[in-house]
């Protein structure tokens, strides 16, 4: 977004310091001019903010249609930092060892405390962030995706703009037979933040939750999934303005186009259930 040049440079330095073969880098100016960057960094400036999924989709295409010029793409938030020098090599080894592995979700930890927020562990049993596991979704700001996934199921949903775009991709990837791993040994340092710092948070979360269900779930599960999330939201007792924004987004999700509907197979529902997170929670 152009407002963290020092943090971006530190991130790029940490990527350049990775052991093994050099990592090719692309930086997208998502509606903002780019600062001076190291030689060899591929750059794209788009005239308006396309949102998180739109900006990342632009970055994918820098490496050919669907990213086909490379085998794996890492997505890292511009205010993050790779504290270890072997993260890229760990990624290479993970994908080489498991042909079914499509996505790896990194552990996000605070640089001062090394604490991982519960919401950054992409499973229901999140009390131990140091336990690796196969999961059903991943973290958008710290992950690696095999480019064959994009070529098979398409990119991130541009219209989502912010929130749940990674879950939409994760569900489509699993329905195509790909697996997702959470790897706590692959770490991105990132300051502890609250998602509600974004002004559009409550509306986007609710709208995109509805879109996610309408696009991907078998018809009988759509009201179950959304009913569970409505009850959870009410149980968390949001402030009156937050609840008003959430309900407005929930309504918007039903009254606006959600994109193509491709409901997942029931065997995918069962597979996710066996992993501990059926697509109703």
């Amino acid at each position: 977004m152009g407002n963290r040049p020092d943090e971006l440079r530190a991130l790029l330095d940490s990527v350049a310091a990775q052991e093994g073969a050099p990592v090719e880098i692309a930086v997208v100016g998502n509606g903002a001019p780019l600062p001076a960057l190291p030689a060899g960094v591929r750059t794209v400036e788009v005239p308006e903010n396309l949102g998180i999924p739109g900006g990342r989709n632009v970055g994918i295409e820098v490496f050919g249609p669907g990213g086909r010029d490379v085998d794996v793409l890492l997505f890292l938030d511009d205010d993050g930092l790779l504290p270890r020098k072997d993260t890229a090599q760990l990624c290479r080894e993970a994908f080489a060892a498991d042909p079914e592995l499509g996505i790896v979700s990194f552990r996000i930890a605070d640089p001062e405390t090394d604490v991982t927020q519960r919401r950054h562990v992409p499973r229901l049993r999140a009390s131990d962030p140091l336990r690796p596991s196969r999961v059903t979704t991943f973290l958008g700001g710290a992950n690696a995706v095999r480019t064959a996934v994009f070529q098979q199921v398409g990119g991130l949903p541009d219209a989502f703009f912010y929130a749940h775009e990674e879950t939409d991709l994760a569900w489509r990837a699993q329905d195509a037979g790909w697996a997702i791993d959470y790897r706590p040994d692959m770490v991105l340092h990132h300051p502890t933040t609250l998602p509600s710092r974004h002004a559009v948070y409550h509306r986007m979360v609710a709208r995109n939750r509805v879109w996610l269900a309408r696009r991907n779930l078998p018809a009988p599960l759509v009201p179950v999934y959304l009913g569970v999330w409505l009850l959870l939201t009410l149980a968390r007792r949001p402030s009156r303005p937050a609840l008003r924004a959430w309900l407005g987004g929930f309504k918007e999700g039903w009254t606006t186009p959600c994109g193509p509907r491709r409901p997942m197979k029931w065997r995918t529902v069962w597979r996710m259930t066996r992993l501990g997170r059926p697509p109703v929670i």
Side-chain angles (χ1 to χ4, degrees), residues 2-261:
N3 56 355
R4 294 189 284 241
D6 294 338
E7 292 89 341
L8 173 60
R9 185 56 187 255
L11 171 64
L12 297 181
D13 289 344
S14 74
V15 175
Q18 293 298 299
E19 299 168 348
V23 179
E24 297 186 55
I25 302 173
V27 177
V28 178
N30 202 358
L34 290 172
L37 297 172
V41 173
R42 306 186 191 194
T43 60
V44 181
E45 291 186 4
V46 293
E48 61 178 311
N49 182 3
L50 302 177
I52 294 172
R56 288 181 180 153
N57 284 337
V58 170
I60 293 169
E61 297 301 307
V62 170
F63 297 99
R68 68 183 183 189
D69 294 345
V70 293
D71 296 322
V72 174
L73 286 168
L74 278 68
F75 296 89
L76 305 171
D77 274 359
D78 64 353
D79 55 346
L81 182 78
L82 296 176
R84 296 175 50 157
K85 294 184 179 182
D86 62 347
T87 301
Q89 187 59 31
L90 289 173
C91 278
R92 295 185 185 102
E93 294 171 356
F95 285 108
D98 186 353
E100 293 185 357
L101 182 62
I103 303 171
V104 173
S105 187
F106 295 11
R107 181 169 74 94
I108 295 178
D110 185 271
E112 300 294 331
T113 64
D114 199 46
V115 169
T116 297
Q117 292 179 272
R118 188 179 182 89
R119 68 185 181 90
H120 284 154
V121 182
R123 59 176 180 246
L124 292 181
R125 296 178 179 178
S127 59
D128 182 6
L130 299 182
R131 178 174 65 87
S133 65
R134 193 139 281 187
V135 291
T136 62
T137 188
F138 65 99
L139 305 175
N143 64 79
V145 182
R146 197 188 295 266
T147 52
V149 173
F150 295 122
Q151 292 154 28
Q152 184 174 1
V153 307
L156 295 155
D158 287 352
F160 278 42
F161 196 84
Y162 165 81
H164 304 317
E165 67 278 351
E166 62 279 342
T167 300
D168 186 89
L169 176 63
W171 285 6
R172 287 183 283 127
Q174 288 169 101
D175 200 46
W178 296 102
I180 306 170
D181 278 354
Y182 169 67
R183 288 283 299 266
D185 56 337
M186 302 181 192
V187 182
L188 180 80
H189 275 174
H190 188 283
T192 298
T193 58
L194 293 174
S196 54
R197 70 190 186 280
H198 299 290
V200 298
Y201 170 76
H202 297 288
R203 180 176 70 87
M204 292 289 193
V205 162
R207 184 199 68 180
N208 293 357
R209 184 81 69 184
V210 178
W211 281 359
L212 178 69
R214 290 174 58 199
R215 286 164 56 94
N216 295 289
L217 290 181
L221 294 187
V222 173
V224 179
Y225 176 78
L226 295 176
V228 166
W229 279 105
L230 176 60
L231 292 175
L232 283 173
T233 299
L234 295 175
R236 290 167 178 165
R237 298 183 178 181
S239 66
R240 188 179 297 273
L243 180 60
R244 186 181 302 114
W246 195 96
L247 292 173
F250 193 80
K251 178 181 178 181
E252 184 182 351
W254 285 107
T255 57
T256 55
C258 65
R261 172 168 165 76

